[in-house]
């Protein structure tokens, strides 16, 4: 209701009920409250981008008075939405109703002058609010209510899980605790928009688009922010002015390959971010990777950012995951739990290497749900077969067509519970013939592996690529063993009884316990990994962390 009034007060803006914990991020992303009217991915992205362009990020003094702050800002036009959060200081995200307000605000903003250092006068939308009388500045707790941008601690998570009433409720609780909040989604789009302003210094009509878990409905609080620089002009050309016998081309510089062009562009943008990007620190140019990227931290938003160029296939695969995540409420609940489980057992890592990735795990869950009877998720080929003419999409010669409107997809008749599904997931992959079969969500069935990679998961759009090419036999073996262990734990009657053993970890909580602590399963008792295994794993990761193999498929 609050969101509706906001919507009415500011025409053309997204209705979003900030702070409503009950609302799933799918719905929040879609910006609507009625699930039967899901927006298309491209519409959501367009609205979020436009919203971000009317937004500023302000570092505030801790003792700020919210009312006075808003009054001060409204001099420049009505404020549609705002929230505060803490991250090495107090920050405010302020969304105006109109873009013009930002110009007005910037016109009254000073470039700081310091006696010892010199400022690079780059005028961005990342601002610092100062009190005229600094002596009244106090440190300590902020005076305003702040929103949370980080995931719960494992202690908090265990508490939440232990007090749930069923495994089903545990999975949904975990989802709610980890999913991106409305505020966090806004902050992600705002960060991309701020980076876009910097890249626009070179390429005025460029777009920085977020992709990956920030937008595919599978993002966990604290996950990295993947973005790419889109310089593609196709679709923006004014065809009406292109009649007659001629057409015009820009004079350009040529380089030997697309890859070199990408490297050159990312190189100068990396320099830009490093030299005058407010808040951009630790800029690393990783240009020799298969998919060249610039990695940096954005202070203020606190995001670890990966910037690539022309990565439209990865954006399309984010859209596909968005469709799968929006189709059935069980999908996200299952994926979040599997991802947390993998993280808890160090199957995934923030360091690139021979580990399985969250992206691969998500595709494995989708595949598993396609294999249920009746299927919970449709195959990619069937999403392609019901596509309309407007859905047609060919990228770099790959057919990436599938239906974009979730509302046109028939819901599944399968009514299996999350408790059954998680157990069956571990059974299924604990016994999967990884040595001979590959995972393929396009057809929704196993196929013979085309090469000897330990884990072969076909890239849904670049079908000759394996998205888990980096995974070593050791890591796959570890995954299989843990999956078997977990299936075994879930089969034990007593661990699945919420109230049986005086608030001992049960159900999902028992699965998330790190090896060696508390709960002991059969195989864990008999095979506690010797230290050398860990060392081996690290060495393997360092080896495969050479620039050329760390990001070996199109992702980054
Ligand atoms: N991607 C890909 N092929 C890969 C790796 C990644 O196509 N081998 C694409 C996927 O669209 C993926 C995106 O790049 O979603 C971002 O990759 P990554 O950050 O590794 O995965 P996320 O899905 O963002 O998950 P995480 O939360 O771990 O960042
Ligand atoms: Mg990511």
């Amino acid at each position: 209701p609050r969101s509706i009034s906001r919507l009415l007060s500011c025409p053309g803006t997204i209705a979003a009920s900030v702070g409503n914990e009950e609302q799933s991020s799918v719905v929040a992303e879609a910006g609507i409250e009625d699930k039967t009217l899901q927006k298309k991915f491209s519409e959501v992205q367009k609205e979020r981008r436009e919203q971000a362009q009317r937004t500023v990020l302000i570092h505030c003094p801790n003792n700020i008075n919210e009312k006075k702050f808003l009054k001060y800002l409204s001099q420049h036009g009505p404020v549609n939405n705002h929230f505060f959060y803490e991250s090495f200081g107090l920050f405010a995200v302020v969304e105006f109703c109109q873009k013009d307000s930002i110009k007005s605000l910037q016109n009254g903003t000073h470039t700081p002058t310091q006696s010892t250092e010199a400022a690079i006068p780059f005028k961005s939308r990342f601002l610092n609010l100062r009190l005229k009388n600094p002596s009244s500045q106090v440190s300590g707790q902020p005076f305003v209510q702040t929103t949370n941008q980080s995931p719960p601690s494992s202690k908090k998570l265990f508490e939440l899980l232990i007090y749930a009433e069923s495994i089903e409720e545990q999975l949904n609780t975990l989802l709610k605790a980890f999913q991106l909040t409305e505020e966090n989604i806004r902050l992600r789009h705002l960060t991309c928009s701020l980076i876009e302003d910097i890249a626009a210094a070179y390429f005025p009509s460029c777009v920085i688009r977020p992709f990956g878990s920030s937008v595919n409905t599978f993002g966990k609080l604290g996950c990295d922010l993947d973005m790419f620089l889109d310089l593609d002009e196709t679709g923006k050309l004014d065809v009406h002015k292109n009649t007659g016998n001629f057409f015009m081309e820009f004079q350009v510089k040529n380089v030997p390959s697309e890859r070199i062009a990408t490297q050159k562009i990312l190189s100068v943008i990396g320099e830009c971010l490093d030299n005058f990007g407010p808040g951009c620190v630790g800029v690393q140019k990783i240009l020799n990777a298969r998919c060249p990227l610039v990695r940096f931290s954005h202070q203020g938003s606190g995001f670890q950012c990966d910037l690539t160029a022309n990565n439209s296939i990865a954006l399309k695969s984010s859209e596909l995951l968005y469709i799968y995540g929006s189709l059935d409420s069980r999908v996200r609940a299952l994926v979040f739990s599997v991802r947390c489980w993998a993280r808890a057992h160090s199957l995934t890592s923030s360091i690139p290497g021979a580990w399985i990735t969250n992206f691969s795990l998500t595709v494995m869950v989708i595949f598993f749900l396609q294999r249920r009877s009746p299927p919970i998720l449709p195959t990619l080929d069937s999403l392609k077969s019901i596509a309309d003419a407007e859905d047609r999409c060919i990228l770099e010669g790959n057919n990436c067509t599938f239906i974009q409107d979730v509302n046109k997809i028939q819901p599944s008749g399968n009514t299996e519970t999350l408790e059954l599904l998680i157990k069956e997931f571990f059974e299924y992959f604990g016994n999967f013939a990884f040595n001979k079969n590959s995972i393929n969500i396009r057809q929704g069935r196993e196929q013979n592996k085309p090469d000897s990679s330990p884990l072969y998961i076909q890239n849904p759009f670049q079908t000759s690529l394996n998205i888990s090419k980096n995974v070593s036999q050791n890591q796959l073996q570890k995954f299989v063993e843990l999956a078997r262990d977990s299936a075994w734990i879930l089969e034990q009657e007593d661990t699945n009884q919420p109230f049986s053993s005086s608030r001992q970890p049960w159900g999902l909580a028992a699965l998330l316990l790190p090896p060696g602590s508390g709960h002991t399963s059969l195989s864990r008792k008999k095979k506690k990994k010797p230290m050398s295994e860990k060392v081996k794993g690290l060495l393997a990761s360092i080896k495969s962390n050479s620039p050329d193999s760390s990001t070996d498929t199109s992702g980054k």
Side-chain angles (χ1 to χ4, degrees):
R2 204 159 47 126
S3 59
I4 306 271
S5 62
R6 281 209 179 111
L7 181 68
L8 294 177
S9 69
C10 274
T13 60
I14 303 172
S17 68
V18 171
N20 183 353
E21 302 272 352
E22 299 303 305
Q23 203 177 29
S24 85
S25 80
V26 176
V27 179
E29 265 286 358
I32 45 170
E33 297 189 6
D34 186 349
K35 261 207 138 174
T36 57
L37 276 174
Q38 294 255 20
K39 282 187 187 172
K40 281 187 191 172
F41 179 78
S42 55
E43 291 168 352
V44 177
Q45 298 314 308
K46 194 170 160 225
E47 286 180 11
R48 288 290 186 191
R49 177 160 181 262
E50 195 271 325
Q51 178 181 62
Q53 286 170 335
R54 288 182 278 109
T55 305
V56 290
L57 180 58
I58 308 176
H59 185 199
C60 300
N62 264 357
N63 56 342
I64 192 151
N65 174 308
E66 187 167 359
K67 251 194 172 153
K68 286 183 185 163
F69 172 66
L70 287 177
K71 194 168 162 221
Y72 172 74
L73 289 169
S74 340
Q75 298 175 79
H76 304 285
V79 169
N80 191 36
N81 210 308
H82 77 285
F83 63 88
F84 293 96
Y85 67 92
E86 279 180 275
S87 153
F88 299 110
L90 179 68
F91 292 85
V93 169
V94 179
E95 179 201 329
F96 287 98
C97 287
Q98 285 127 22
K99 218 173 155 181
D100 292 348
S101 303
I102 305 227
K103 274 265 150 345
S104 163
L105 173 62
Q106 283 173 327
N107 284 340
T109 299
H110 307 267
T111 299
T113 44
Q114 271 136 358
S115 48
T116 50
E117 293 176 313
I120 294 178
F122 184 73
K123 293 178 180 164
S124 75
R125 283 179 286 138
F126 186 6
L127 310 165
N128 233 336
L129 184 74
R130 300 264 184 205
L131 293 175
K132 281 198 175 148
N133 178 7
S135 63
S136 67
Q137 211 159 341
V138 286
S139 55
Q141 289 294 305
F143 287 21
V144 292
Q145 209 175 359
T146 57
T147 59
N148 175 44
Q149 308 295 327
S150 4
S153 65
S154 24
K155 186 169 168 267
K156 181 84 210 296
L157 177 66
F158 275 106
E159 269 169 32
L160 288 171
L161 294 182
I162 286 169
Y163 287 92
E165 308 237 308
S166 63
I167 292 189
E168 176 103 11
E169 194 185 313
Q170 286 187 320
L171 270 87
N172 283 320
T173 299
L174 185 141
L175 171 65
K176 264 194 198 162
F178 279 99
Q179 70 184 356
L180 302 184
T181 58
E182 165 65 25
E183 292 87 352
N184 197 266
I185 293 170
R186 283 169 182 255
L187 191 53
R188 286 173 187 269
H189 286 270
L190 172 58
T191 305
C192 289
S193 184
L194 296 175
I195 302 305
E196 184 176 296
D197 287 351
I198 299 168
Y202 279 105
F203 301 99
S205 59
C206 73
V207 182
I208 298 279
R209 300 189 192 280
F211 70 101
S213 56
S214 300
V215 297
N216 67 16
T217 75
F218 295 105
K220 264 169 46 183
L221 285 173
C223 69
D224 69 353
L225 172 54
D226 304 293
M227 49 175 99
F228 79 95
L229 172 72
D230 192 354
L231 298 174
D232 195 5
E233 292 287 316
T234 46
K236 287 184 229 147
L237 284 184
D238 195 343
V239 279
H240 302 294
K241 294 198 179 124
N242 253 338
T243 49
N245 293 330
F246 304 105
F247 68 94
M248 202 69 93
E249 270 183 355
F250 287 107
Q251 279 278 350
V252 289
K253 266 206 160 145
N254 290 320
V255 289
S257 71
E258 193 74 43
R259 178 175 169 82
I260 294 174
T262 299
Q263 286 170 329
K264 283 189 183 284
I265 293 166
L266 282 180
S267 177
V268 293
I269 290 176
E271 286 298 311
C272 249
L273 293 174
D274 200 15
N275 287 314
F276 57 81
C280 301
V281 297
V283 179
Q284 277 175 281
K285 297 197 252 174
I286 309 171
L287 303 178
N288 286 325
R290 192 193 136 98
C291 188
L293 75 142
V294 176
R295 179 166 287 172
F296 60 97
S297 298
H298 188 260
Q299 283 180 329
S301 69
F303 294 129
Q304 171 75 35
C305 304
D306 275 351
L307 172 68
T308 50
N310 295 328
N311 214 344
S312 49
I313 298 186
L315 184 65
K316 203 66 190 168
S317 68
S318 304
E319 176 173 5
L320 179 65
L321 295 199
Y322 168 90
I323 299 258
Y324 281 129
S326 314
L327 263 179
D328 189 297
S329 66
R330 289 168 289 186
V331 182
R332 296 173 65 243
L334 205 55
V335 168
F336 273 71
S337 287
V338 170
R339 283 182 167 204
C340 276
W341 166 84
R343 191 73 195 90
H345 295 289
S346 309
L347 284 170
T348 51
S349 165
S350 52
I351 313 159
W355 294 278
I356 205 161
T357 64
N358 281 326
F359 180 55
S360 295
L361 287 170
T362 308
V363 175
M364 288 168 89
V365 174
I366 292 171
F367 182 74
F368 164 74
L369 295 174
Q370 290 174 336
R371 303 296 297 156
R372 302 308 295 165
S373 171
I376 294 181
L377 289 176
T379 65
L380 175 51
D381 272 343
S382 72
L383 294 179
K384 184 180 168 196
S385 69
I386 56 169
D388 298 319
E390 66 196 28
D391 297 322
R392 207 179 126 75
C393 174
I394 311 283
L395 298 172
E396 295 168 30
N398 303 288
N399 192 334
C400 305
T401 305
F402 58 83
I403 187 103
Q404 290 171 282
D405 186 350
V406 185
N407 308 302
K408 291 184 184 161
I409 306 169
Q410 193 73 29
S412 162
N414 180 310
T415 56
E416 287 170 322
T417 63
L418 281 172
E419 175 170 351
L420 178 80
L421 289 171
I422 189 144
K423 200 191 285 178
E424 297 274 309
F425 173 85
F426 290 127
E427 283 263 4
Y428 184 78
F429 284 114
N431 295 299
F432 191 87
F434 288 108
N435 57 339
K436 63 174 210 287
N437 288 337
S438 69
I439 290 166
N440 179 322
I441 60 164
R442 182 164 275 286
Q443 293 168 10
R445 58 185 161 83
E446 305 89 343
Q447 287 190 312
N448 287 334
K449 274 202 299 193
D451 67 35
S452 61
S453 315
L455 176 60
Y456 198 105
I457 305 176
Q458 191 193 58
N459 184 313
F461 299 117
Q462 290 165 300
T463 51
S464 62
L465 296 182
N466 171 10
I467 65 167
S468 51
K469 194 174 138 195
N470 61 310
V471 176
S472 66
Q473 185 61 46
N474 261 345
Q475 287 300 315
L476 177 66
Q477 192 55 36
K478 193 173 156 194
F479 169 86
V480 169
E481 279 171 22
L482 282 162
R484 287 181 188 168
D485 266 12
S486 300
W488 185 85
I489 294 175
L490 289 176
E491 268 153 32
Q492 305 311 299
E493 285 286 309
D494 59 330
T495 42
N496 295 336
Q497 298 304 313
F499 302 109
S500 61
S501 39
S502 61
R503 299 294 177 202
Q504 282 301 303
W506 62 278
L508 185 57
L511 297 192
L512 297 181
L513 282 179
S517 62
H519 194 92
T520 42
S521 82
L522 257 188
S523 48
R524 250 180 232 151
K525 254 191 217 155
K526 62 178 193 245
K527 357 175 172 121
K528 203 167 169 247
K529 286 246 175 305
M531 201 54 197
S532 63
E533 266 294 287
K534 246 190 178 166
V535 176
K536 259 195 243 160
L538 271 173
L539 281 175
S541 85
I542 292 165
K543 259 194 223 155
S544 58
N545 198 8
S546 65
D548 260 349
S549 55
S550 69
T551 46
D552 52 6
T553 38
S554 68
K556 306 193 248 187

